[in-house]
Structure formats: C-alpha cells, structure tokens
Amino acid sequence: MIDPATASTQESPGRAPSDAVVLFDGKDLSRWVHKDGTAAKWKVENGYAEVVAKTGYINTRDSFGDCQLHVEFAETVPPQGESQERGNSGVFLMGLYEIQVLDSYENKTYADGQASAVYGQYPPLVNASRPPGQWQTYDIVFHGPRFDPEGKLLRPARVTVLHNGVLVQDNAELSGPTAHGQRPPYKAQPDKLPLALQDHGNPVRYRNIWIRELK
Ligand code: MG
C-alpha cells in the first residue's frame, strides 16, 4: 500500500508518492552528474535548478528503465530566441530517447520539435504549453526496448506523456534513439541507463523531479 500523496492533490497534484525516488527536490543536484562524472554545475536556487549553458547534460547517478516519471519545468521570461533556440532542453529517457522541452507558447517550430514531442519522431497530439514563467508538468510512462541475447530487437520502446495533465503522446512506439534529422535504428542496450536532462544552451528551470520504477 502506498501513500498516494493525499495531503491535497488539488494543491499539489505532482507530489511524489511514497514509493518514488526523488531525483530533485529543489535543494541540490546530488543525484546528478555530468557525462564525465563530475558534480552537476547547473544553478540551484529558490527551489529550482537552472541549465547553465555549456556545462553539459546532467545524468542521474542511478540507472532506470521502465518507469513513471514526473518532471516540472519553467521557461524563460521574457522569451529569448526563436523556434528551437527558445527554451530548448529535453528529458532523455535512458539518456537516449528525448521528450522535447521547448517554449512552445506562441513559438513556431517544426512539428516533431515542439514541446512534448518525441523529438524527431512524434509531434504532440495537442500543444498544451503554458506561457513562459509558469511551471509546467510532464508525466511520462516509459517502457524501454527489449533485446534477445544476440542483440536483436524484441520490442521497441513505448512512451505515454501528459503535458500539464493533457495526453500528448499515447503509447507511442519509438523508431529508435533520438537523433536530429535522422532515424537511427535500435542498438542493443542494457535494461537500465541513467536519465538525462539536456543542456541546449537555454536557461530552462526544473523542479520536483521524481521517478517510480515499473517492475
Ligand atoms: Mg531539446
């Protein structure tokens, strides 16, 4: 029996349930490192972490596979840049499969590059973006790919995403890892890998990140 965060689901619908691993609680990024293993250099203040350009992606120290993931982010006010240069970041499931983070409020870009797109593969079903400055939520259910002992793909990855509570990816079947302008095939990989957040050079803010492993 888990505590489904009963305190007030109306006031804090994204509150971590008791069986979640809290990856970022607004205080520190101790569960995150850069690719070279050094401590995360993103700025932490006022209960959020902010991308510091050119410090690089941050990855969880722990590895995860099939999961339910909750992430909150906020875009820069006033908006800076256009299209893919406005508030770009990303949630990389297993470090390989990107759910795009972008300021998609009155910001045109290509369809499968919008906020909550499976980047380069699936546009969101609708644009559920809030204006910059407001906190937004992603609730993600992810099932990673499976391979046989020879490395042959048995089952592709699948992802369901709610953006601000609105269904935007409905059990989408991924064609392979995320890439820009191409669809690379799957390559055999472990069942668990670190989760990553993207440094795309824009000061996107994050808070309240938690994950539940699906057995
Ligand atoms: Mg991105």
Side-chain angles (χ1 to χ4, degrees), residues 89-93 97-101 114-119 138 140 159-161 168-169 174 178 206:
S89 181
V91 176
F92 275 75
L93 299 153
Y97 310 101
E98 184 183 17
I99 306 303
Q100 171 73 310
V101 171
Q114 297 175 73
S116 75
V118 176
Y119 183 84
Y138 282 169
I140 298 170
V159 70
T160 294
V161 181
V168 290
Q169 300 291 346
L174 278 59
T178 297
Y206 288 95

Side-chain angles (χ1 to χ4, degrees), residues 1-6 15-22 210-212:
M1 187 84 172
I2 65 159
D3 169 10
T6 48
R15 190 166 163 237
S18 62
D19 63 348
V21 175
V22 176
W210 52 261
I211 194 165
R212 297 178 64 240

Side-chain angles (χ1 to χ4, degrees), residues 62 126 128 147 152 210:
D62 296 321
V126 292
F147 300 87
K152 181 169 161 274
W210 52 261

Side-chain angles (χ1 to χ4, degrees), residues 46-112:
N46 303 323
Y48 59 79
E50 184 176 293
V51 178
V52 175
K54 298 201 165 55
T55 57
Y57 290 41
I58 59 172
N59 308 281
T60 54
R61 291 181 188 274
D62 296 321
S63 292
F64 302 97
D66 299 2
C67 66
Q68 175 188 354
L69 174 67
H70 178 85
V71 176
E72 301 184 14
F73 65 95
E75 296 291 352
T76 310
V77 182
Q80 298 162 3
E82 302 293 333
S83 186
Q84 291 291 300
E85 302 308 318
R86 184 181 293 185
N88 195 337
S89 181
V91 176
F92 275 75
L93 299 153
M94 304 190 87
L96 293 169
Y97 310 101
E98 184 183 17
I99 306 303
Q100 171 73 310
V101 171
L102 194 78
D103 180 358
S104 283
Y105 187 82
E106 299 178 349
N107 177 36
K108 285 207 170 121
T109 192
Y110 47 88
D112 58 12

